[in-house]
């Protein structure tokens, strides 16, 4: 009977709360972002199929209540003052505490609260807050005071507290009162409906399928150049820049749009019919005759896959030309089935063959002109390049954090037949965006750090797709080498590489999605006190996707959101800042990002002089590797300024001046990379391999050169006279590690061998004396 009474009381309080709380009801708001049509779109009568969430058979996701952060309430005096005290009597705090603890322990109350969204965790947190509110408030609302007074005097039932407890719980956990609306906003099923303009036309989808160096992109670009209007969407700035130049050289006016750059061929700034852009920057509202989406297999990328999904579903083009691996064909067909569009497949074969050699290189003495040594860490790049030049050979160096101009400069140096540089040392950055004249690809390691779908970093062998992408750079059709070769540096890696290349690429099964700024703004309307990072967490925990999609990793976004949480910014500006593409591993870049946001929040424009003071411009030429790494970070900071300047033009006004000093900085970095071995030699501290590289496959072995051979032979002959500790501390060993001729792990292996041999010698001597 008492439970029925408290339910009745709660329903009255609920109606009172609902009358005062603005809400978006299910009747006035729909789940899919595609349903948020503008007045112009509704007037045009665009037929957009809206998914009815309630009719979907899958049950809603249970929210992760650990993400629900209680809101701190202000203990304001009650509106009706001391009316409750006047109508009843003062509350005995000790007796009230006993009453509250009895209420907390009642299983019926816990079950009733669970039915209204309060699981055990939230129930406990809400009770602690409710108890503190009752015990510390100087005056309570009249109705609550009277109810508590009656219970303390034995005239009321303890369950009568429940409606007031729930009212308090919904004040500190506002998401409880709008959980259905939050679920609708975060419903990511049927993302095709988010793009009404694309659904309003019948598009033709052509899939150009084939391995690296098969001409698939070439054929798509030919159609792009022949069209009246077109857009090229690529994964890298270098690729967008290449199509931009190729198009204009062919007499087809083409603009360039990347996150950090806008280049218009028309001097008056009028948009050309063609545009080459990075995929994140493509417009899904501009109509085109032809669109080209390059490297479509990246639609499953844990971080950037959403951009390919958006382009494929949203581009308003009569023809969509998709280029990528064969492994993506079936998935793209299935994806296009949801839009009612058929896929026409064109298959291509590799234009020039490449073969996997039966022997590993084993030593850098066996390098030949046209070789490219592929590493997966900067430390390996530094070490190998120094070893190569110690042999009197010149080498070019390319890795991911180098500015695009420096990469192109190094590629040109390597490709130039008149340049003495005939060897390239590079990371997997060569897998896309650079045309290189490579005869033989040599994998120095097959182990690479990867980030899984949970955002966790782990060391694992490269995938078949990655191996084929890199190996395919050998013997390209346009180079002087008509046949490519692939092998490894270490003998143990060769069977693994052969096995990788013999496998078929795993078929793509899902495409990435990412919450939009509009969705997060709607979330913030319901949860105005939540931080952006917390909003994103709750969004992902409630989001529903069908079997074709997954929500992309948002750790980088949350990292930036947490970094600037204390800075007063409106939600839209905060969201834009957090989508900035920065390298969070660079402390100087992160510090600059923070200063940019703080200056922006003061409504104080970030001028050219301000930026110059911040980066200490003009900068000196690098004297060692540390200086070079810092200059790369400075280049990234200038990239960040340019990226923000196209989102907040009035606050980042000096784009031209910043771009000019960035060009000068690029030249300084180019000069530093050309002299990289001198910088390595001048570096004070040792260059070490990361601790995660525990296997021999991830390291440069010490027997790859003459000096290393001397260590293996000379010291082995003296093992009876010197202890392993003496060898570790010897100046020769330290020098070899510093110069990159030995790695610490290899030295430790040698130490174990010497110790083992010494023990065996000692045992043998003991046997001989017995």
């Amino acid at each position: 009977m008492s439970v029925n009474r408290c339910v009745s009381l709660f329903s009255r309080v609920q109606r009172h709360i609902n009358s005062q709380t603005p809400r978006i009801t299910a009747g006035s708001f729909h789940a899919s972002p595609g349903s948020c049509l503008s007045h112009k779109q509704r007037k045009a009568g665009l037929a957009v199929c809206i998914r009815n969430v309630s009719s979907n058979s899958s049950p809603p996701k249970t929210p992760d209540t650990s993400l629900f952060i209680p809101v701190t309430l202000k203990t304001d005096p009650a509106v009706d003052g001391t009316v409750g005290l006047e109508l009843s009597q003062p509350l005995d705090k000790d007796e009230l505490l006993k009453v509250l603890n009895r209420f907390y322990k009642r299983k019926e109350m816990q079950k009733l609260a669970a039915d209204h969204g309060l699981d055990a965790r939230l129930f406990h947190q809400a009770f602690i807050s409710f108890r503190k509110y009752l015990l510390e408030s100087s005056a309570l609302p009249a109705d609550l005071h009277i109810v508590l007074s009656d219970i303390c005097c034995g005239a009321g039932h303890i369950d009568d507290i429940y409606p007031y407890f729930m009212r308090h719980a919904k004040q500190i956990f506002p998401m409880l009162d709008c959980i259905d609306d939050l679920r609708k906003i975060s419903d990511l099923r049927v993302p095709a409906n988010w793009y009404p303009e694309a659904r309003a036309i019948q598009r033709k989808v052509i899939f150009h399928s084939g391995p690296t160096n098969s001409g698939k992109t070439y054929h798509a670009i030919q159609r792009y150049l022949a069209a009246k209007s077109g857009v090229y969407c690529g994964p890298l700035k270098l690729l967008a820049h290449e199509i931009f130049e190729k198009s204009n050289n062919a007499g087809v006016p083409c603009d360039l749009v990347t996150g950090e750059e806008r280049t218009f061929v028309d001097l008056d700034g009028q948009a050309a019919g063609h545009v080459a852009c990075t995929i994140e920057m493509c417009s899904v509202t501009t109509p085109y005759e032809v669109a080209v989406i390059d490297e479509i297999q990246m639609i499953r990328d844990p971080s950037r896959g959403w951009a390919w999904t958006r382009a494929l579903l949203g581009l308003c083009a009569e023809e969509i030309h998709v280029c990528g691996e064969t492994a993506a064909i079936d998935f793209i067909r299935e994806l296009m089935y949801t839009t009612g569009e058929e896929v026409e497949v064109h298959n291509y074969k590799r234009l020039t063959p490449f073969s996997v050699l039966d022997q590993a290189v084993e030593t850098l003495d066996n390098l030949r002109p046209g070789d490219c040594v592929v590493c997966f860490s900067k430390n390996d790049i530094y070490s190998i390049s120094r070893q190569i030049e110690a042999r009197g050979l010149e080498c070019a160096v390319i890795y991911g954090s180098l500015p695009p101009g420096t990469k192109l400069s190094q590629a040109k140096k390597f490709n130039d037949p008149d340049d003495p540089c005939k060897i390239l040392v590079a990371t997997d950055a060569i897998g896309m965006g650079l045309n290189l004249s490579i005869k033989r690809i040599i994998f120095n390691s097959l182990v690479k750090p990867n980030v899984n779908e949970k955002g966790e970093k782990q060391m694992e062998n490269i995938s078949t797709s990655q191996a084929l992408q890199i190996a395919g750079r050998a013997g390209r059709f346009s180079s002087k080498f008509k046949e490519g070769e692939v092998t490894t540096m270490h003998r143990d890696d060769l069977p693994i590489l052969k096995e990788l290349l013999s496998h078929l690429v795993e078929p793509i099964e899902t495409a990435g999605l990412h919450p939009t700024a509009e969705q997060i703004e709607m979330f913030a309307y319901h949860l105005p006190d939540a931080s952006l990072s917390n909003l994103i967490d709750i969004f992902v925990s409630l989001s529903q996707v069908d079997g074709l999609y997954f929500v992309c990793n948002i750790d980088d976004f949350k990292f930036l959101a947490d970094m600037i949480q204390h800075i007063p910014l409106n939600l839209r500006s905060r969201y834009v800042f957090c989508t900035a593409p920065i390298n969070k591993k660079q402390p100087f870049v992160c510090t600059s990002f923070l200063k940019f946001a703080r200056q922006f929040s003061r409504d104080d424009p970030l001028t050219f002089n301000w930026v110059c003071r911040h980066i200490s411009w003009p900068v000196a030429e690098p004297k060692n590797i540390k200086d070079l790494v810092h200059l790369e970070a400075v280049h990234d900071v200038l990239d960040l300024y340019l990226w923000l300047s196209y989102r907040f033009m009035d606050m980042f006004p000096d784009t031209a001046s910043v771009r000019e000093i960035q060009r000068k900085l690029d030249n300084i970095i180019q000069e530093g990379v050309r002299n990289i071995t001198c910088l390595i030699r001048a570096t004070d501290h040792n260059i070490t391999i990361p601790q995660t590289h525990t296997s021999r496959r991830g390291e440069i072995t010490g027997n790859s050169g003459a000096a290393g051979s001397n260590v293996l032979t000379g010291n082995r002959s003296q093992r009876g006279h010197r202890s392993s500790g003496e060898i570790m501390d010897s100046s020769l060993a330290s020098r070899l590690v510093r110069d990159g001729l030995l790695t610490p792990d290899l030295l430790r292996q040698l130490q174990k061998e010497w110790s083992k041999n010494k023990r065996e010698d000692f045992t043998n001597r003991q046997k001989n004396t017995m």
Side-chain angles (χ1 to χ4, degrees):
M1 179 177 176
S2 61
V3 173
N4 292 334
R5 183 184 174 195
C6 78
V7 169
S8 176
L9 284 170
F10 174 65
S11 64
R12 293 203 302 270
V13 173
Q14 179 72 27
R15 285 195 297 272
H16 174 72
I17 295 171
N18 289 345
S19 67
Q20 294 182 340
T21 306
R23 298 180 61 215
I24 297 179
T25 63
S28 62
F29 175 78
H30 207 281
S32 171
S35 65
C36 302
L37 301 179
S38 66
H39 174 72
K40 181 179 179 181
Q41 291 166 345
R42 289 195 296 270
K43 189 175 179 180
L46 293 176
V48 182
C49 175
I50 304 299
R51 186 187 190 94
N52 189 344
V53 177
S54 61
S55 66
N56 196 288
S57 58
S58 61
K61 287 175 66 175
T62 303
D64 181 0
T65 56
S66 66
L67 302 173
F68 291 5
I69 300 174
V71 176
T72 303
L73 299 180
K74 295 180 180 179
T75 55
D76 295 330
V79 177
D80 41 12
T82 59
V83 174
L85 180 62
E86 294 171 0
L87 294 177
S88 56
Q89 60 185 5
L91 294 173
D92 184 339
K93 299 292 184 180
D94 292 334
E95 185 63 29
L96 178 59
L97 183 59
K98 293 177 183 179
V99 167
L100 292 174
N101 288 337
R102 280 166 36 213
F103 170 81
Y104 176 75
K105 294 175 182 177
R106 279 184 60 77
K107 298 296 182 184
E108 295 88 347
M109 294 299 95
Q110 295 178 17
K111 185 178 183 305
L112 198 58
D115 292 340
H116 288 91
L118 281 181
D119 63 9
R121 178 201 299 270
L122 297 185
F123 182 82
H124 178 74
Q125 288 182 288
F127 174 75
I128 297 298
S129 177
F130 184 58
R131 184 178 63 187
K132 181 180 179 182
Y133 165 67
L134 295 181
L135 296 176
E136 294 182 2
S137 294
S138 57
L140 297 173
D143 55 345
L144 177 57
H145 186 104
I146 294 171
V147 167
L148 292 174
S149 179
D150 288 349
I151 295 172
C152 290
C153 295
H157 196 282
I158 194 170
D159 291 352
D160 294 346
I161 298 175
Y162 181 77
Y164 302 97
F165 166 74
M166 279 303 300
R167 179 171 64 185
H168 182 86
K170 291 193 175 187
Q171 288 174 334
I172 66 169
F173 293 116
M175 60 285 295
L176 293 175
D177 208 31
C178 57
I179 196 72
D180 290 337
D181 292 328
L182 296 180
R183 281 198 176 101
K184 291 174 183 178
I185 298 168
S186 59
D187 189 347
L188 302 181
R189 292 170 291 187
V190 197
N193 290 339
W194 303 355
Y195 309 102
E197 289 91 346
R199 300 292 76 79
I201 62 175
Q202 187 63 32
R203 306 180 307 170
K204 181 179 179 181
V205 181
I206 300 99
F207 194 122
H208 299 268
S209 165
T212 304
N213 194 26
S214 60
K216 57 185 182 295
T217 307
Y218 169 82
H219 286 89
I221 293 301
Q222 291 304 112
R223 178 67 187 94
Y224 164 84
L225 294 175
K228 295 178 181 177
S229 63
V231 58
Y232 168 84
C233 308
L236 300 173
K237 288 184 282 187
L238 284 173
L239 285 170
H241 201 276
E242 180 185 342
I243 300 304
F244 165 73
E245 290 187 338
K246 183 178 292 185
S247 182
N248 285 299
N249 290 340
V252 179
C254 177
D255 295 335
L256 176 67
V257 177
T258 69
E260 302 80 14
E261 186 175 2
R262 309 284 190 279
T263 303
F264 298 98
V265 290
D266 186 89
L267 299 178
D268 296 329
Q270 293 293 324
H274 290 69
V275 61
C277 64
T278 45
I279 193 155
E280 287 87 353
M281 299 304 300
C282 69
S283 169
V284 292
T285 56
T286 306
Y288 300 103
E289 182 181 346
V290 169
V292 177
I293 304 175
D294 208 356
E295 306 293 353
I296 189 61
Q297 68 274 4
M298 290 190 71
I299 199 169
R300 66 175 166 191
D301 185 85
S303 300
R304 298 179 64 200
W306 63 270
W308 276 263
T309 305
R310 173 177 172 271
L312 183 62
L313 296 178
L315 281 171
C316 297
E318 298 170 21
E319 293 180 20
I320 307 287
H321 290 258
V322 177
C323 308
E325 296 175 354
T326 305
I329 293 177
D330 290 342
F331 177 74
I332 298 304
R333 276 187 171 137
E334 189 175 3
L335 210 58
M336 292 298 94
Y337 179 78
T338 65
T339 65
E341 295 161 338
E342 296 182 1
V343 178
E344 178 183 315
V345 179
H346 297 175
N347 290 303
Y348 303 89
K349 295 182 178 180
R350 186 175 166 88
L351 299 174
T352 56
F354 78 83
S355 57
V356 183
L357 302 181
D358 293 326
Q359 289 185 332
V361 175
E362 297 197 51
T363 167
L364 296 177
D365 291 329
N366 294 330
L367 291 181
R368 304 193 300 254
D371 278 350
C372 173
V373 183
V374 177
C375 311
F376 295 112
S377 81
K378 266 194 192 180
N379 287 340
D380 287 350
I381 291 279
Y382 298 150
S383 177
I384 288 184
S385 60
R386 179 161 188 178
Q387 292 180 61
I388 289 173
E389 298 216 3
R391 289 162 169 75
L393 303 173
E394 282 195 40
C395 67
V397 174
I398 295 175
Y399 50 88
S401 59
L402 286 177
T406 305
K407 290 178 186 173
L408 291 171
S409 171
Q410 289 291 295
K412 184 179 180 182
K413 175 184 173 74
F414 174 70
N415 289 337
D416 187 353
D418 299 324
D419 196 291
C421 172
K422 300 300 179 189
I423 296 170
L424 175 64
V425 183
T427 63
D428 53 344
I430 64 165
M432 295 180 190
L434 292 167
N435 292 317
L436 297 162
S437 185
I438 298 172
K439 170 65 175 175
R440 183 171 62 168
I441 289 285
I442 303 167
F443 285 90
N444 178 63
S445 167
L446 296 175
V447 179
K448 179 186 178 184
N450 280 324
V451 178
N452 61 23
E453 292 183 1
K454 296 180 181 179
E456 301 165 340
K457 190 174 181 180
Q458 55 192 22
M459 299 298 297
E460 57 184 23
N461 282 340
I462 60 174
S463 66
T464 295
S465 175
Q466 291 169 328
L468 287 169
Q469 186 80 27
I470 298 169
R473 310 306 287 180
R476 286 185 66 82
F477 179 70
S478 58
S479 72
K480 64 180 180 181
F481 301 113
K482 302 306 177 187
E483 195 169 322
E485 297 173 347
V486 181
T487 187
T488 60
M489 179 65 70
H490 306 295
R491 191 184 308 168
D492 294 347
D493 284 337
L494 194 53
I496 300 173
L497 177 64
K498 287 184 176 181
E499 185 180 359
L500 279 172
L501 295 177
S502 66
H503 290 166
L504 293 175
V505 178
E506 290 186 10
I508 294 172
E509 297 178 346
T510 52
L513 295 173
H514 193 281
T516 65
E518 291 76 16
Q519 290 168 321
I520 300 304
E521 281 181 337
M522 286 188 281
F523 248 58
Y525 171 78
H526 290 286
L527 308 174
D529 297 310
S531 68
L532 178 56
S533 179
N534 189 228
L535 285 173
I536 289 287
D537 276 336
I538 296 174
F539 184 98
V540 174
S541 75
L542 292 175
S543 64
Q544 288 186 278
V545 295
D546 62 31
L548 295 176
Y549 302 97
F550 67 92
V551 179
C552 284
N553 182 277
I554 54 171
D555 283 352
D556 288 350
F557 184 98
K558 286 173 54 186
F559 175 82
L560 298 180
D562 289 335
M563 189 189 301
I564 61 172
Q565 179 57 37
H566 65 286
I567 298 176
L569 295 170
N570 65 61
L571 184 67
R572 178 57 70 108
S573 298
R574 190 181 299 276
Y575 181 94
V576 172
F577 264 85
C578 293
T579 56
I582 75 168
N583 182 1
K584 66 179 184 182
K585 296 177 184 177
Q586 287 279 8
F588 183 69
V589 178
C590 293
T591 302
S592 302
F593 174 80
L594 194 59
K595 288 185 177 180
F596 282 13
R598 190 175 290 117
Q599 184 83 351
F600 181 92
S601 71
R602 299 183 186 124
D603 204 23
D604 194 359
L606 286 84
T607 62
F608 174 70
N609 290 335
W610 186 94
V611 172
C612 288
R613 286 195 302 273
H614 172 64
I615 64 173
S616 302
W617 184 266
V619 295
E621 292 185 359
K623 295 182 176 60
N624 50 46
I625 288 296
K626 184 179 179 182
D627 290 347
L628 180 62
V629 171
H630 175 70
L631 292 184
E632 291 169 8
V634 172
H635 192 280
D636 287 348
V637 169
L638 298 181
D639 259 349
L640 173 62
Y641 182 97
L642 295 172
W643 190 91
L644 290 168
S645 72
Y646 289 108
R647 280 84 183 164
F648 308 105
M649 295 183 182
D650 55 333
M651 296 298 294
F652 297 83
D654 296 330
T655 305
S657 301
V658 170
R659 193 178 302 284
E660 181 59 31
I661 64 171
Q662 190 184 46
R663 291 193 189 99
K664 294 177 180 178
L665 178 60
D666 199 337
N667 292 332
I668 294 172
I669 294 174
Q670 286 181 35
E671 189 62 32
V673 173
R674 276 195 288 269
N675 301 318
I676 195 165
T677 52
C678 298
L679 301 184
I680 296 171
R681 200 175 298 118
T683 302
D684 296 329
H685 51 78
N686 294 342
I687 297 173
T688 59
I689 304 299
Q691 293 299 315
T692 47
H693 288 239
T694 56
S695 96
R696 178 173 167 273
R697 292 189 299 242
E699 299 146 6
I700 313 302
T701 57
N703 63 349
S704 60
S709 300
N710 291 339
V711 171
L712 291 174
T713 56
N715 284 327
R716 192 182 289 268
S717 66
Q718 301 173 31
R719 62 176 177 260
H721 303 286
R722 302 180 64 189
S723 70
S724 59
E726 290 172 337
I727 292 170
M728 282 295 292
D729 294 334
S730 70
S731 59
L732 176 60
S734 300
R735 213 165 47 243
L736 290 171
V737 172
R738 184 180 65 246
D739 293 347
L741 298 174
L742 276 179
T743 65
D745 282 349
L746 183 60
L747 203 53
R748 282 191 288 272
Q749 291 176 23
L750 291 174
Q751 178 187 359
K752 291 177 183 178
E753 289 181 15
W754 291 325
S755 299
K756 180 181 177 182
N757 289 333
K758 184 177 180 181
R759 286 194 301 269
E760 290 175 354
D761 285 348
F762 180 77
T763 303
N764 291 334
R765 284 198 299 271
Q766 279 188 324
K767 289 179 179 179
N768 292 334
T769 57
M770 291 176 65

